[in-house]
Structures are given as structure tokens and as C-alpha cells.
Amino acid sequence: MRSKPDTPHDEPVAIVGIAALYPGVRGADAFWRHLAEPPPPPGAAAPSLADIEVDVAQFGIPPAQAGALTRMQLLMLEAARECLEDAKAGDRTLQAERTDVVAGVCAGLDRQYANALRVEGSRYARELERALTAPEFGGSARTAAQAADELRTALVRRLGASPHDRVGEMASTIPARIASAFKLRGRTLALESADATSFLALAHALDSLRGGLSEAVLVVTGQREEGPFLRAALAAKGLVADRTRPFAADGGGFALGEGVGALLLKRLSSAVRDGDRVYATVRGCAVRHEGRPGVFRYSTSVERRARTARAALDACGAPPSSVGYVECGGYGVAHETRAELDALKAVYAEAGPGPVVVGSVRDRLGHTFANAGLASVTKAALALYHRRLPAHLAQAPEPGPPFRTLPEPRKWHQEAGAGPRRAAVSGASLTGTLCHLVLEEHDPDTAGPAAERPRTARVSAAPEPIAIVGYGGRFGDAPDADAFWAAMLTGEDRIGPLPDSLLDRELYYEPGRLSLTRSYTDQGSPLEVPAAPPEGLRIPPRRWAVMDAAQRVALSVAGELMARRGPAAAALRGPGLVATGTNLSLSRERRAAAGLALGEVESAVGGLAALGRLDATETATLLDLVRERYAAEPAPRAPEDLDGSLAGGVAAVIAGEYGLDAVPLGIEAACASSLAALDVAVGRLRSGSVDYALAGGVELPCNARDMVLCSALGLLSHGRITPFDTAADGFTPGDGCALFLLKRYADARRDGDAIHGLVCGIGASNDAKSLIAPDADGQVRAMRQAFGQAGFDPADVGYLEAHGTGTRVGDRVEIAAVARVYASPHRRRPLEVGSAKSFFGHTFAAAGGAGLLRALHALMTGVLPANAGLTTVSPELDLDRVPARVSTATGPWESAPGRPRRAGVSSFGTGGINYHVLIEEHLDGSR
């Protein structure tokens, strides 16, 4: 039996605000009208999101940062504004400190592609210079060098370049910018799970609201054609067609559509209390996964799809006969269509007196991928609000009993005494995820007891702890978690000059000055990417080769975690989650996108003044030669090519290869991504939605692109990272991955798992002030929120694994925040403070995972680890306020008999994102 969560997780969640930005559509009313309009005539120019104008000035974006914004960031800011405006029936305001922002995107964004192409362009320019020295092109070294320099300048001008590019391009900057613009201070993160992205964003929002962590959640998801990569990769899977025919038995794929949408969600009790207009309520939600080895593909299991739908209905006690409308995925893929309809027929066979109306918003929008689920939920919510059944474009035969489509909208009649109108939303992902939601109309005059209740209902003071029952890690030259800990005990860092294979010094290294195209440091802590899959997994050589390096590293760390538990994968039964913090645009995808955009570089070559003496034939010959030497990443040409580029594919490859019924999810919260993934996992466990979760993070920033972009903003140390030292001048990048296997404490004890430690509380916030500068207030809120769940006081914590980026301002602000929370006259001994970054550098999305792994080892071994590179502790920190100390040598962690050791772990990211985790030693006996 699954242990019960200790907070109510069945309260309806109200949709109180809607924004809809689609080609030719702007606003909820326009979206609803669009659903009833005929399609444009053949040959008509298709509108796009490029037609939507956004007033940048209204969002208070500093001019210096405006050039680094992605187009998606602007569109999502506008969607957030329209959604919040839509929710204002009066002058009500949101509880800013308890309003979360969750953004969902899939594949790279325009600035990410442009930055990658600009950095790659330096390599192209070198090949151009080498080619021009050949006799047939004049052989002048001076002319060749002039042409190369001119090309680099031209690419900067064409593609844009700003010191803020590294921050501006990140997907997590989108929700952070929204939080900053509207002064929202709750949890902030971006996520991706292919075309289930919207559903996972909504599921996380439901957990946060029903668990009492949030008062409101703003969910924003979007998809646009940022470049040719996604379309090409989907075409290589055989999924792209000229148009989408949702119920066609011979459907050959979908038309890739564009769209950005937003929903503002509250608990129904809060919405009623605040007098909000309620479009509809979300009653039931089920998200499941079919983990299968091999290439990512849609599930064709009728049984699994039907089981998912029934789980959503059971979650809210709604009989299938009470559902009058089903919004289907309807992606236009023949085998997916058959499986979806057969599963829905099995569930809704016992329909009411009339047939169930079905439809799919894909008939008009095409497949808006990351936005697809939110577009479907918006359509169903508006149908319930207007009490009208939507029409469906007749592009295929009827789906058959008990379903029918409508040629035009009609009033949604409901028999007297039949209860509220209900709609269901079905969806799926090409990674194997299945989704089903149940929505219900809200009638203020007949609202039941749920509406009358008071990431003021709040989570209980000390909810059930979450057990860490497995772990694995790979950082720098440490191939596993044990080697990682052994390195900590030596007191010596693992930082040094990067190999030429990662940083071509001729192109990208120029010490002593800031540059938009070069790094002023060559130091880092890289890891060796595994050359083969973990033992026991059969992955074809080509599929392994096209996996992004982050995917290969994470899969290997998962293998370590599984091996540490014995035959763990077979023992992980029931629904689960794999949540990996990572950059939501992987390196392989960016390289492939740069290869597809090579024509833009060649166009710039054609306009170089240094080549004015070449005629058209000579220029063409030159371009052919340079293209051959440059050896761009090949365009997607096989089904597995997309799999190796999806950020959510890091988690999906783990779930698939180990055959787990665990929904895969990629999460980005800047440098706090690992702890954000842990937070999502804990929320899903406490809600009872999953029985286990793998959570952590992976990123490999020891590469030319990241070092160039970070150098441009002056973020990197000119030497090496030295947290808390007077010499601290920035961070050094490091590669890494850490993963943790989690269960509810009672379940872990029931299953006889080895419990390595307990997660007792997680706090998160956004300071909503600056995307770059740290803020003590935001950090304090995250720490206090964590202690609100933990059941013990700050004075009981003996060790703090700090974020410790090694910048004077960052370290000073962090310790100032620590003093406000951890300072206590009851503290028996000074708080020990340290940072794993002093050994392996800043591992970005994996940083929180490194910190948690280090703190966990300290709990298990009773040893307080040293800090590397520390010469003189900065007096600016004023550690005596806590009191605290930063040690340069390992030592015993003394504790009273029967009293568990406790540690805190902090991780803060650009965008004002703050996370704090509290963990506790597990002693024998029940807690």
C-alpha cells in the first residue's frame, strides 16, 4: 500500500486567468472565436508569432540587457501580462511571495542558436583564412587574416552580441524575468518534456497548490520555429506533414505550429475567497510513462493509455459517464491516433444518454509541441465556461461510438440532476509519456464544500520526510560518487588547464581582457565522457554516438546508482519520475543548429571587402573548400537524431533504457537546477502522484561556447575559484552530474531500502529584483521556508553546504543571509560552512547536486569536509555573526548520542532563483 501524504491533495484547482498568443489570435476571447472559424483558404499566407508586437519598455528591462533577450522571452512576458490582466476582475492583487512562475519550452531558442553560431563562426573564419592562403586564391597571408577578422566582425553584427548573452539566452531567464517584471517572489523554473511539457508544468503547479506551497501559479508555455533544427529532426522521425488531421486513420504526421499560452491557477477555495472569475476547475490529473529501450516514440499501448485516463477520473471520483467532451491529443500520427481512440473508447464506453463529443485543437493550430497541452486545456476550460461544445474541422471520418465530432459549435445541454459539466483532456509525448486531465465547470451558485475551504491552507509544519535510497555522481576526474568524496578528503582541487579538444586556445583564449569572442581564462575541471553505455544496457553504436554528452554522462551515473542498490530497476515498480536539472538547450542540438545555419555564415563571406577581387566562380569554389574543411555537425537524418538533442531526453533516456514507468522531465533553474529538480520530485512524492523519483542535475560547461559567454560578462575567475577567500574573483567552470533516488520515508522502510539520509525541507523563492546581483532577502525566504517544513531549528544544523560561487559580492551576500537565519545564541558550536565548488568548480545545473552529494557523504561518514584553495577567509563575511567557520582541513563531525546530524544545502541561480534544502542523518529505528 502506498503511504498517504499528510496534506489534502484533492482540492479542485481553479483556472482564473488565460492568455492566448497564436498566429492571428490574441487573447482568450479571440482564441474561443478562432475555434469556431473556418480555416484560411488554400494558398493564404499563414500568420505567425512574428506578427505579434511586444512593447519591451513596459517590462522594465535595462537597455544593456535588451539585446540579449530571446524572442520567446518577450512573447512569454506578454502572455504573462495578458494572463494577469485577464485575471483582474477588480483590484485584487496576488500574494507575491507565494506566487510561482513555471515556463515550458522545447528545443533551443533564437539567441541560443545565434550565440552558438557566432562562437562556431570563429572556427569557420580560421578555415577561411587557411583556404585563402592557397595559391589559387592569391596566397596572401595578410589578405587571408584580414578576411577572417572581417568575417568575425560581420557575424557579431549580423547575429548580435552582448555581454549579457549567457544570462539572456537561458530558458530559466524567462520565468525569472516574468517574476521580476511583475514582482512575484515564489518558486521559479523552466521545464521541458517534449510534447508533454505543458502537462508536466500543470502537474507541478497542482502539486504546489494542493500541497500548500503556493497561493497561485502562473504557467506559461510556448513553441515557435526558432530555426530549422526541430522541424528537420521531427521530419527525420517521419512525424512532419503539411497539415494535421487529428483523427485520420492514415495520418502521416503533424504540421508544426506556433503558440504561446498562459494560465493562472489557484486553489478553488482561494479563488472563491478572492472573488475571482473561474473559467473551470482542474479536478483530476494523471501523468504516466511507458519506459521502453530504443528510439523515442509515441506509446501505442491501449492498456496504458486507458489506465492513465482511469487514474485521472479516479483521482476526482468522476465516473466516465459524467464527461461530455474529450479534447484529444490528435497529433495526426496514424498509430498514435488508433491507440488514443481505442483507449478512450475503452474508458468512455459507458457514456451518458448521448455520444461524447471529441475534438482536437490541432485541427486549427497544428501541433504546438511544448504548448500543445496548455492549448488543449485552454480550449476545454473555455468550452466549460461558455457551456458550449466546440466544433471540429471535418478532415477525417468520424471516430466512431461512443464519440462524435461537431461540424459547428452548439450549446452544451446538461440533464437536470446530472451534476456539473465535465471535460477531459488527453495527450502524449514522443518520449512515451501519457497524460489525462479532468476539468469541471464552476457554478458559484452550486459550488460544493470544496469551494468553501479556507510547487489559507498550507503544508503541515513537518510533512513526511523523503528518504534518499540511492545516489551516484561524476565530477571532473572523479568517475563515481565515492571518488568524489575521496577528493574532498584530500583538500586539493581538481582544477587545471582545459585540454585543446575542449578549448582551442588559438581561437578562444585571450588572457587579460573582456571579449565577446574569447575567454580570458583556460581553467576548468572537465570530465571524461563515457565511451560506452553502462554495463547491461544494449544501445546501438550510432544511437550512443548521437546522444548529447550530458545524456551519456547522466545515463552512466544512473547506472552507478542502480548498481549501488543491486537489481534496483526491477524493484522500482509503480509510477515514478525522472527529473534532471540541465540546460534546456543541449550542446549537440546547438551544434546541429549551427550546421543548418551555415548558409548565413557563407552569405556573410560573400560580402567581405577583403574578397572583392574574387569573381562569383572563385567565391563558390572557396566556399565549397571551406565547408569541407569546416566539417559542420550533420543535419538530422535518422529517427534517433532528435532523441540525442532533447534536454528532457536526458531523463527520458534513463527512464527508457531502464524500463521505468517514470515520467521524464528536464528542469532549468539556472545554477539551482539540481535542487529545483529535487523540489519537483519531493512535491510529486508528497502528493502521492509517484512512488519513487530520480532527481539531480547534469551540465558540462567546460567548452568554448560557455567559457566565451561567461567571460564576456566577467563571471569567471582569472585564476581559479576560491570561495570565501579574500582573493575571490569569480568562478571556474566544471563538468558534473549527480543523481539521487528518492522515496517517501514510510515506503523506504516498508521496502527495506538502505536509507542514506532524509530530505526534511525544501524552500524556494525568487528575489524579483535583479537577474544578476544576489539578494539576501530572497535567500532568507528560501531558507525560512525550508525550516517551516523541517521540524527542527537552524541552531540544530551543524553544516552548511553553501552556494559559494567565489565572487566577493556573492559570498558576502550569502553569508549575510545565512546570519539572518542561522545565527542563534543556542548554537553549541560554530556552523561549519563549505562549498564543493572549491574542488570541482561551478558545475552550473549540477551545482546543487554536487553540494547535496557532499553534504550527504558528510552525514553518512560523520566527517566535515575541507575547503580547497582557501588562503585567507575574507573579513567581509563577518562569520562571527552566526558564528560560523570555513575549514581548510577535514575533521570529525561531533554529535550527541541519539541526535541526528543535520545539514543545509543552498543553490542560487541567475534570475534571482533561490533554493535551500535541509537534510538529516538517518538513525536506526523509525523517525
Side-chain angles (χ1 to χ4, degrees):
M1 288 287 292
R2 181 185 303 173
S3 62
K4 298 289 185 181
D6 54 6
T7 54
H9 281 81
D10 59 348
E11 181 177 0
V13 169
I15 299 173
V16 300
I18 292 176
L21 302 180
Y22 296 93
V25 173
R26 191 163 186 172
D29 291 340
F31 182 73
W32 180 243
R33 290 194 302 270
H34 181 68
L35 297 177
E37 295 173 351
S48 74
L49 291 180
D51 300 327
I52 295 178
E53 296 183 0
V54 180
D55 179 8
V56 181
Q58 66 183 317
F59 299 116
I61 298 170
Q65 298 177 16
L69 302 185
T70 64
R71 172 66 175 168
M72 182 61 76
Q73 185 174 148
L74 291 178
L75 291 170
M76 286 192 163
L77 275 165
E78 180 62 13
R81 185 193 67 78
E82 294 189 7
C83 186
L84 294 173
E85 286 293 323
D86 182 65
K88 285 185 180 178
D91 295 326
R92 295 179 303 277
T93 58
L94 295 171
Q95 295 185 29
E97 293 188 3
R98 291 170 54 76
T99 298
D100 297 352
V101 183
V102 180
V105 296
C106 184
L109 305 175
D110 53 3
R111 284 306 317 160
Q112 294 171 332
Y113 290 160
N115 293 335
L117 183 58
R118 174 164 52 84
V119 174
E120 280 287 297
S122 289
R123 187 164 65 87
Y124 184 97
R126 179 171 63 185
E127 297 304 329
L128 175 68
E129 181 177 359
R130 289 173 175 173
L132 282 170
T133 59
E136 59 265 39
F137 300 114
S140 168
R142 179 178 179 181
T143 300
Q146 180 183 347
D149 288 341
E150 193 179 346
L151 176 59
R152 293 187 182 96
T153 302
L155 289 177
V156 168
R157 184 173 61 252
R158 276 182 171 231
L159 300 172
S162 162
H164 294 274
D165 278 339
R166 182 62 176 86
V167 176
E169 71 165 21
M170 297 170 65
S172 59
T173 300
I174 296 173
R177 181 76 72 182
I178 292 171
S180 178
F182 301 103
K183 303 297 184 275
L184 307 176
R185 298 184 175 90
R187 282 162 159 76
T188 304
L189 58 89
L191 51 79
E192 186 259 291
S193 188
D195 33 356
T197 295
S198 290
F199 290 105
L200 269 296
L202 291 168
H204 172 61
L206 296 180
D207 286 343
S208 294
L209 289 165
R210 289 171 168 170
L213 297 175
S214 311
E215 274 296 306
V217 181
L218 178 63
V219 177
V220 192
T221 66
Q223 192 75 50
R224 65 186 291 263
E225 291 220 46
E226 309 282 358
F229 172 78
L230 183 60
R231 179 177 292 273
L234 288 168
K237 273 190 175 292
L239 295 175
V240 176
D242 293 335
R243 59 175 179 157
T244 307
R245 298 186 297 146
F247 301 122
D250 60 346
F254 48 75
L256 191 60
E258 294 189 333
V260 175
L263 298 176
L264 182 63
L265 306 174
K266 288 184 176 182
R267 288 185 299 276
L268 180 57
S269 58
S270 299
V272 171
R273 175 198 66 201
D274 296 341
D276 291 313
R277 170 186 55 195
V278 176
Y279 284 104
T281 62
V282 181
R283 294 301 315 273
C285 174
V287 186
R288 297 290 187 268
H289 187 73
E290 182 178 10
R292 296 177 297 176
V295 176
F296 297 164
R297 55 206 183 274
Y298 291 105
S299 171
T300 57
S301 171
V302 174
E303 179 187 359
R304 285 179 181 268
R305 286 173 176 265
R307 195 184 311 154
T308 303
R310 290 191 180 101
L313 292 162
D314 291 344
C316 59
S321 59
S322 68
V323 175
Y325 175 72
V326 178
E327 171 69 14
C328 301
Y331 300 151
V333 182
H335 59 277
E336 198 270 347
T337 295
R338 286 194 299 271
E340 180 179 35
L341 288 176
D342 287 348
L344 293 176
K345 288 176 181 178
V347 173
Y348 293 99
E350 299 177 2
V356 179
V357 176
V358 296
S360 172
V361 76
R362 253 60 65 191
D363 65 344
R364 287 174 170 84
L365 299 183
H367 190 10
T368 56
F369 223 69
N371 168 260
L374 193 140
S376 291
V377 171
T378 300
K379 178 182 174 182
L382 289 172
L384 288 166
Y385 180 69
H386 291 286
R387 297 180 177 177
R388 291 184 66 80
L389 292 164
H392 183 79
L393 295 179
Q395 297 176 335
E398 284 288 303
F403 301 129
R404 63 168 297 193
T405 60
L406 297 178
E408 58 185 27
R410 77 175 189 196
K411 186 176 180 179
W412 190 338
H413 293 285
Q414 189 78 339
E415 297 292 329
R421 294 169 179 82
R422 291 191 177 117
V425 179
S426 172
S429 164
L430 60 82
T431 57
T433 296
L434 302 169
C435 321
H436 205 82
L437 274 74
V438 178
L439 276 64
E440 184 177 286
E441 71 174 334
H442 173 67
D443 185 344
D445 298 327
T446 60
E452 298 171 3
R453 292 176 181 164
R455 14 205 276 323
T456 57
R458 293 175 183 266
V459 74
S460 62
E464 181 183 15
I466 300 300
I468 301 174
V469 298
Y471 60 88
R474 180 180 289 232
F475 293 86
D477 63 355
D480 57 34
D482 291 340
F484 169 87
W485 180 241
M488 298 295 161
L489 300 181
T490 67
E492 299 178 358
D493 69 45
R494 297 301 197 267
I495 296 170
L498 294 180
D500 290 339
S501 59
L502 296 177
L503 183 71
D504 189 324
R505 286 167 174 76
E506 180 185 21
L507 288 180
Y508 300 118
Y509 179 48
E510 186 174 3
R513 76 180 187 92
L514 294 179
S515 167
L516 293 174
T517 57
R518 294 173 182 266
S519 170
Y520 53 74
T521 180
D522 65 347
Q523 300 290 300
S525 182
L527 61 71
E528 184 176 350
V529 178
E535 185 177 353
L537 298 185
R538 296 183 178 181
I539 300 177
R542 187 182 187 281
R543 183 162 180 263
W544 178 257
V546 300
M547 282 186 188
D548 186 87
Q551 293 179 329
R552 284 183 268 169
V553 169
L555 189 60
S556 296
V557 172
E560 176 199 349
L561 182 153
M562 297 295 186
R564 194 178 292 276
R565 295 188 74 247
L572 294 177
R573 300 186 181 90
L577 174 75
V578 182
T580 54
T582 184
N583 189 306
L584 291 192
S585 178
L586 300 182
S587 291
R588 186 176 182 278
E589 179 206 4
R590 296 196 200 195
R591 290 196 306 271
L596 288 168
L598 195 56
E600 188 166 356
V601 179
E602 293 175 336
S603 175
V605 172
L608 298 180
L611 302 184
R613 57 188 174 74
L614 300 182
D615 60 27
T617 301
E618 291 171 324
T619 300
T621 302
L622 173 66
L623 291 176
D624 287 342
L625 177 61
V626 177
R627 179 181 280 261
E628 180 180 348
R629 291 180 172 180
Y630 173 69
E633 187 82 15
R637 62 180 186 274
E640 59 264 33
D641 286 350
L642 177 63
D643 305 358
S645 299
L646 287 175
V650 175
V653 103
I654 294 172
E657 295 306 319
Y658 284 102
L660 302 177
D661 177 9
V663 175
L665 183 61
I667 294 174
E668 186 189 306
C671 307
S673 297
S674 287
L675 297 193
L678 190 80
D679 185 38
V680 172
V682 168
R684 297 251 81 196
L685 284 163
R686 285 179 171 165
S687 73
S689 301
V690 301
D691 291 334
Y692 63 89
L694 274 78
V698 58
E699 191 161 356
L700 282 64
C702 290
N703 60 72
R705 183 195 69 247
D706 280 317
M707 297 195 70
V708 167
L709 295 181
C710 289
S711 287
L713 195 54
L715 298 176
L716 302 182
S717 170
H718 290 264
R720 62 181 58 197
I721 186 171
T722 55
F724 315 117
D725 197 274
T726 55
D729 67 342
F731 61 79
T732 303
D735 295 342
C737 176
L739 294 174
F740 304 89
L741 181 58
L742 311 172
K743 285 186 176 181
R744 286 178 292 273
Y745 179 59
D747 291 354
R749 287 185 59 81
R750 176 202 63 200
D751 297 340
D753 292 310
I755 300 176
H756 306 292
L758 299 174
V759 177
C760 298
I762 299 185
S765 72
N766 189 286
D767 61 49
K769 292 181 181 178
S770 168
L771 265 66
I772 302 173
D775 177 75
D777 290 342
Q779 295 175 16
V780 166
R781 283 197 304 275
M783 293 178 193
R784 287 177 175 164
Q785 190 181 107
F787 277 107
Q789 304 170 23
F792 52 80
D793 296 327
D796 297 322
V797 175
Y799 175 68
L800 173 66
E801 175 65 24
H803 187 56
T805 56
T807 64
R808 287 182 61 184
V809 174
D811 291 349
R812 185 178 72 245
V813 170
E814 179 173 10
I815 296 302
V818 168
R820 288 169 57 183
V821 176
Y822 281 88
S824 171
H826 305 297
R827 180 169 291 284
R828 292 184 299 277
R829 55 180 60 88
L831 176 69
E832 294 285 345
V833 178
S835 174
K837 295 180 183 65
S838 65
F839 288 86
F840 290 103
H842 192 347
T843 53
F844 291 39
L852 180 57
L853 187 60
R854 176 167 140 125
L856 183 66
H857 272 290
L859 287 181
M860 293 189 297
T861 62
V863 173
L864 291 166
N867 291 278
L870 187 67
T871 302
T872 305
V873 175
S874 172
E876 296 179 345
L877 303 180
D878 194 10
L879 293 172
D880 290 340
R881 286 178 294 173
V882 181
R885 66 187 175 201
V886 183
S887 299
T888 58
T890 59
W893 186 346
E894 299 176 2
S895 65
R899 189 181 185 90
R901 297 176 175 89
R902 292 168 174 138
V905 182
S906 286
S907 201
F908 311 131
T910 54
I913 300 173
N914 309 298
Y915 277 84
H916 191 71
V917 173
L918 295 169
I919 61 174
E920 180 179 276
E921 177 185 17
H922 179 246
L923 302 178
D924 290 339
S926 61
R927 191 171 183 271

